[in-house]
């Protein structure tokens, strides 16, 4: 697999260890303003994408749901339902504190990396990850872990930024490169953090590349749906029986 992100941070080349630390520091700094920034940067559209994502996940049966890179709890919040056990997994205590204040005991919270999951083999019904996989240093390792912990036939759902249709790209790139870092500087006082976010989006695999990455990680029934002309994308897959 092409090495998409593991040794880059913004425009800089870094070691994988440095990248991990820098990403931790980004989310530590932006945690308290993360939800507000999401609303401003996407003009609220991330709520529609997440609503669509959650609606689809809810059609899948299964009691034990793990939301990786769960952050401030947007996805877990939409999945709370009697009889389900939810677990947010995220290395950032600061992001999960925001989730804990919102969701309390409706979810469980585990500080961990998606590349090293603290669950038994074949123990989870559904794994979700929303705007998280591009922060993971080794996507293959994370997908192997997701595959390991899912029950046979279990479902994997991934929501992530992707490649918009060609005619939209110039506008989208201008918005990302000019407007977002300025908004980041103004609202969250962290322009570097938002510069990283944009770079990680542009370096992330396209929807088709991501599809084959997931297929190569031994998942079956892999498919995707573009959202907002490909600005974001939902991939879904099952662990082979
Ligand atoms: C952009 S936020 C997404 C939060 C939430 N899922 C949402 O959709 O709003 C990315 C999250 O990924 C987490 N993260 C960073 N590196 C990670 C890793 N290696 N494994 C799992 N989560 C990671 C960050 O701490 C952060 O909470």
């Amino acid at each position: 697999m092409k090495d998409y992100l593991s040794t880059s941070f913004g425009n800089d080349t870094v070691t994988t260890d440095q990248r991990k630390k820098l990403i931790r520091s980004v989310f530590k700094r932006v945690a308290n303003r993360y939800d507000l920034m999401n609303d401003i940067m996407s003009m609220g559209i991330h709520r529609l994408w997440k609503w669509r994502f959650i609606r689809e996940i809810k059609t899948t049966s299964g009691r034990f749901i793990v939301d990786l890179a769960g952050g401030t709890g947007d996805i877990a919040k939409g999945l709370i339902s009697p009889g389900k056990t939810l677990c947010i997994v995220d290395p950032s205590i600061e992001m999960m504190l925001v989730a804990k204040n919102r969701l309390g005991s409706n979810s469980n919270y585990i500080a961990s990396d998606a590349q090293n999951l603290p669950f038994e083999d074949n123990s989870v019904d559904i794994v979700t990850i929303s705007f998280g996989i591009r922060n993971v240093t080794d996507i293959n390792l994370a997908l192997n872990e997701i595959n390991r912990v899912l029950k046979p036939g279990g479902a994997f759902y991934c929501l992530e930024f992707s490649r918009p249709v060609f005619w939209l790209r110039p506008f989208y790139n201008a918005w990302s490169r000019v407007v977002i870092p300025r908004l980041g500087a103004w609202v969250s006082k962290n322009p570097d953090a938002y510069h990283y976010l944009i770079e990680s989006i542009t370096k992330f695999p396209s929807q088709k590349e991501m599809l084959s990455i997931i297929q190569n990680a031994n998942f079956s029934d892999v498919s995707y749906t573009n959202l907002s002309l490909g600005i974001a994308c939902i991939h879904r897959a099952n662990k082979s029986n």
Side-chain angles (χ1 to χ4, degrees):
M1 181 184 97
K2 202 154 82 184
D3 193 0
Y4 288 100
L5 285 166
S6 62
T7 53
S8 75
F9 185 82
N11 290 328
D12 301 327
T13 301
V14 294
T15 65
T16 51
D17 219 42
Q18 284 170 326
R19 181 175 192 268
K20 198 166 157 180
K21 285 187 186 134
L22 287 162
I23 292 173
R24 297 275 192 284
S25 122
V26 163
F27 289 104
K28 184 175 183 170
R29 282 180 283 139
V30 303
N32 286 323
R33 298 241 150 173
Y34 174 79
D35 292 322
L36 174 66
M37 272 304 291
N38 267 354
D39 279 335
I40 297 176
M41 285 187 317
S42 73
M43 297 183 288
I45 293 168
H46 78 107
R47 289 174 183 264
L48 283 178
W49 297 335
K50 288 175 179 168
W51 173 81
R52 166 71 178 76
F53 187 59
I54 290 163
R55 191 186 64 178
E56 182 172 343
I57 297 163
K58 280 179 150 176
T59 62
T60 309
S61 57
R63 292 169 65 86
F64 185 28
I65 308 175
V66 171
D67 183 35
L68 296 180
T72 59
D74 274 3
I75 302 305
K77 183 171 181 235
L79 294 174
I80 292 169
S81 160
K84 309 255 184 215
T85 302
L86 272 163
C87 189
I88 292 178
V89 174
D90 197 298
S92 170
I93 307 276
E94 293 79 10
M95 292 287 280
M96 282 197 298
L97 262 178
V98 180
K100 212 167 184 174
N101 285 334
R102 294 168 83 191
L103 312 182
S105 59
N106 287 307
S107 178
N108 301 288
Y109 309 87
I110 299 182
S112 185
D113 195 304
Q115 298 160 118
N116 184 18
L117 295 175
F119 303 108
E120 303 273 312
D121 296 1
N122 307 316
S123 60
V124 181
D125 293 295
I126 303 172
V127 173
T128 63
I129 185 163
S130 154
F131 301 113
I133 202 144
R134 72 176 190 281
N135 299 301
V136 166
T137 306
D138 186 335
I139 297 179
N140 275 328
L141 201 57
L143 289 172
N144 289 342
E145 269 298 85
I146 293 165
N147 200 290
R148 178 185 70 74
V149 302
L150 275 174
K151 293 177 184 171
F156 170 52
Y157 290 97
C158 174
L159 170 62
E160 190 50 88
F161 287 105
S162 202
R163 206 64 49 83
V165 291
F166 76 96
W167 60 263
L168 187 60
R169 282 181 211 160
F171 305 101
Y172 179 69
N173 289 344
W175 176 258
S176 311
R177 294 196 178 279
V178 181
V179 182
I180 289 183
R182 283 171 176 74
L183 282 175
W186 177 52
V187 182
S188 84
K189 316 283 179 235
N190 275 290
D192 301 354
Y194 285 91
H195 188 64
Y196 154 68
L197 291 180
I198 298 309
E199 288 303 320
S200 67
I201 291 168
T202 48
K203 286 183 181 145
F204 195 72
S206 70
Q207 26 288 75
K208 286 201 174 127
E209 288 169 319
M210 191 60 190
L211 181 112
S212 53
I213 291 168
I214 299 173
Q215 277 170 336
N216 291 338
N218 257 332
F219 285 89
S220 55
D221 313 316
V222 190
S223 62
Y224 69 82
T225 303
N226 280 326
L227 304 175
S228 302
L229 300 167
I231 292 176
C233 183
I234 296 175
H235 283 83
R236 82 268 305 158
N238 292 105
K239 174 168 172 172
S240 307
N241 277 305

